[in-house]
Amino acid sequence: HDFVNYISPEKGFDKADAIICSMNLTDKNVNYFNYNKLKQCKKKPVFINVARGELSFAYDLKKALDEELISALALDVFNEEGNLADFLRSGKKIDSQEIRAIKNLRSRTNVILTPHNSFNTQESVQRKSEQTVQQIQYFLANQEFYWKVPQE
């Protein structure tokens, strides 16, 4: 975007009061926000991940909190979500570094853990329904989709 002043991640880590992870997941950025990256932070930012749990492993985030590299943490996505769901629903013992870290994080006052379902509000469900109808009507009239899927 022309109106955005982009800087390198390294400069961003130096200046950030908050880091909000909302990027897509690729094979190249798994655990992008790892302990070593967070060690670059100078201002003890709040770290928020609303994208994918695989972008920031809980054990790295716990270590960053323990060492006060970040001041607070908010997650609504988790690495190993399947194991986490099994643990939360059944109490089944799961020997995983990730699950142990999440269990520790959930009792901290500077951590918020929520389910990833912000897409499920009344407003967003209404908007998705309206857009679905728009897309179908456009397709029936034009034999192509209004919002096309980008080709890589």
Side-chain angles (χ1 to χ4, degrees):
H1 299 286
D2 295 338
F3 59 89
V4 175
N5 181 20
Y6 292 96
I7 60 174
S8 70
E10 293 74 28
K11 286 183 181 177
F13 283 115
D14 280 351
K15 298 178 181 197
D17 293 314
I19 298 172
I20 302 170
C21 174
S22 58
M23 63 195 214
N24 64 321
L25 178 66
T26 68
D27 292 339
K28 294 178 181 160
N29 67 3
V30 171
N31 203 21
Y32 181 85
F33 293 99
N34 59 47
Y35 172 77
N36 288 327
K37 276 259 193 320
L38 296 172
K39 277 179 32 177
Q40 298 173 30
C41 296
K42 302 292 184 228
K43 295 177 76 176
K44 299 180 185 178
V46 172
F47 181 82
I48 302 166
N49 187 351
V50 295
R52 295 288 300 270
E54 296 88 349
L55 294 168
S56 59
F57 293 177
Y59 61 84
D60 279 346
L61 298 172
K62 177 190 169 299
K63 188 173 181 181
L65 269 175
D66 289 344
E67 296 181 17
E68 298 182 358
L69 303 175
I70 58 177
S71 61
L73 175 63
L75 302 175
D76 79 342
V77 290
F78 306 91
N79 188 32
E80 295 188 24
E81 283 191 15
N83 283 338
L84 179 59
D86 285 347
F87 164 74
L88 292 172
R89 287 188 186 119
S90 68
K92 179 172 88 174
K93 184 176 179 179
I94 297 173
D95 189 26
S96 159
Q97 187 175 12
E98 277 294 287
I99 303 304
R100 285 191 305 271
I102 292 167
K103 284 171 56 176
N104 177 278
L105 290 170
R106 70 182 180 168
S107 64
R108 297 183 185 207
T109 58
N110 59 344
V111 174
I112 297 173
L113 306 175
T114 60
H116 185 68
N117 70 354
S118 60
F119 67 91
N120 209 20
T121 64
Q122 181 177 350
E123 295 85 359
S124 64
V125 170
Q126 180 177 341
R127 189 169 32 256
K128 287 185 287 187
S129 299
E130 290 168 354
Q131 290 176 348
T132 299
V133 170
Q134 283 179 293
Q135 187 76 287
I136 291 168
Q137 289 172 333
Y138 188 88
F139 183 81
L140 292 173
N142 300 287
Q143 299 304 303
E144 66 179 7
F145 289 111
Y146 183 70
W147 295 291
K148 296 172 182 60
V149 176
Q151 301 298 317
E152 291 187 291

